[in-house]
Amino acid sequence: MQVHSYSITDIGKQRQLNQDYVFTSEVAMGPLSNLFIVADGMGGHKAGEYASKCTVETIIEDINAYQGPAVIRALTEAIQHANTKIRQVASCDSNYQGMGTTLVVATYQDDVLYVGNVGDSRLYIIGDGIRQVTTDHSLVEEMIRMGGLDRSRARTHPDKNIITRAIGVVDVVDVDFFEVEDLKEGDIILMCSDGLSNMLEDDEIEKIVNARGTLEEKADQLVAAANRNGGKDNIAVILIEMLSDEVIHD
């Protein structure tokens, strides 16, 4: 199968800066057949904006320069380099101290979707239902895992924005990787920041993505729905449609 994508970011209704950053490439980069990234920065006075942009740009540069076929190793080394770079900048400039970013990255090749994540930005697969592939690195998710919180209350919990893992926080960041091998034609992959997932229930997301329309229309509708529900944070959306090899988009 091949992929067709569309991406969008939106400042939302309550923030002064857009600290979300997205990247999509449907063509080969280094050892990867394609590459998709969402980063949600954190930090005051443009520090979060810098963290997300620098992280994505460092990963792109490293992937393009990587020699060898190993997908997970290429992504891991690029992410670790981005983490080191963010920490170095923060240590040299007090304006950037404490900055960081979430990250979700994906690439599809040889019939496998490879996914890496740090923080609470997410990747879903939507087709016959909706399923979240990534696991949030957040205080609320830890509470759910320990049995102290029901998942139905997680989205409105007062501590829902506290993350337990991010790029730029520790010297060596721990990245979770997932491999998905059961994608089929017509499935749509959604990558997003918590500005979307905190504003919409999963079934609302599924309904919008599975409705008729182009990827652009679906992404615009997701952003509009998040803003109607409060738009409390920046919103980042990447939609990736799985197509048969015979389908060609202009």
Side-chain angles (χ1 to χ4, degrees):
M1 289 187 290
Q2 60 178 312
V3 297
H4 173 59
S5 66
Y6 179 78
S7 63
I8 185 174
T9 65
D10 187 85
I11 197 170
K13 294 296 186 182
Q14 300 187 20
R15 296 297 175 94
Q16 301 300 311
L17 295 171
N18 190 349
Q19 297 184 324
D20 287 0
Y21 199 86
V22 300
F23 173 81
T24 65
S25 175
E26 297 173 19
V27 298
M29 300 177 57
L32 308 183
S33 300
N34 43 66
L35 182 62
F36 307 94
I37 310 174
V38 170
D40 178 1
M42 59 186 184
H45 191 60
K46 296 191 176 181
E49 182 181 12
Y50 175 86
S52 59
K53 185 173 187 288
C54 179
T55 293
V56 174
E57 290 180 344
T58 300
I59 291 170
I60 294 167
E61 183 178 350
D62 283 15
I63 291 297
N64 276 322
Y66 188 84
Q67 301 293 319
V71 174
I72 300 299
R73 182 175 177 181
L75 289 171
T76 299
E77 291 184 6
I79 293 168
Q80 294 296 345
H81 183 204
N83 183 73
T84 299
K85 198 168 183 177
I86 295 300
R87 289 184 60 76
Q88 288 174 341
V89 171
S91 69
C92 295
D93 189 334
S94 60
N95 290 320
Y96 293 100
Q97 286 181 1
M99 71 175 172
T101 184
T102 70
L103 179 75
V104 58
V105 56
T107 182
Y108 178 77
Q109 50 197 60
D110 300 324
D111 298 323
V112 179
L113 179 70
Y114 298 90
V115 183
N117 88 290
V118 178
D120 61 355
S121 292
R122 295 179 176 178
L123 185 144
Y124 294 90
I125 295 172
I126 301 165
D128 298 326
I130 180 170
R131 61 177 162 132
Q132 182 180 334
V133 173
T134 53
T135 300
D136 294 350
H137 303 133
S138 67
L139 180 59
V140 164
E141 188 64 32
E142 288 291 326
M143 293 168 66
I144 293 170
R145 188 175 62 83
M146 298 297 291
L149 179 68
D150 184 81
R151 188 167 294 279
S152 64
R153 295 177 51 226
R155 196 170 63 86
T156 57
H157 194 278
D159 293 331
K160 67 180 181 300
N161 292 323
I162 299 176
I163 59 176
T164 56
R165 206 184 298 180
I167 303 292
V169 174
V170 294
D171 287 341
V172 179
V173 64
D174 187 11
V175 186
D176 285 352
F177 282 100
F178 307 87
E179 297 182 16
V180 181
E181 301 182 10
D182 60 347
L183 286 170
K184 57 185 182 297
E185 182 181 350
D187 283 348
I188 294 180
I189 298 159
L190 166 65
M191 301 168 66
C192 65
S193 62
D194 67 341
L196 182 77
S197 56
N198 280 343
M199 293 293 100
L200 298 176
E201 298 283 1
D202 284 4
D203 59 351
E204 297 176 278
I205 293 172
E206 179 189 0
K207 183 177 179 180
I208 292 171
V209 173
N210 276 335
R212 287 184 173 273
T214 65
L215 290 187
E216 180 175 357
E217 290 168 341
K218 296 172 193 283
D220 288 345
Q221 288 163 12
L222 287 170
V223 170
N227 279 326
R228 282 196 305 271
N229 286 354
K232 295 180 180 180
D233 202 350
N234 307 145
I235 306 159
V237 171
I238 297 176
L239 291 176
I240 308 163
E241 185 176 9
M242 307 306 299
L243 302 171
S244 69
D245 291 329
E246 288 74 30
V247 177
I248 299 175
H249 277 263
D250 294 334

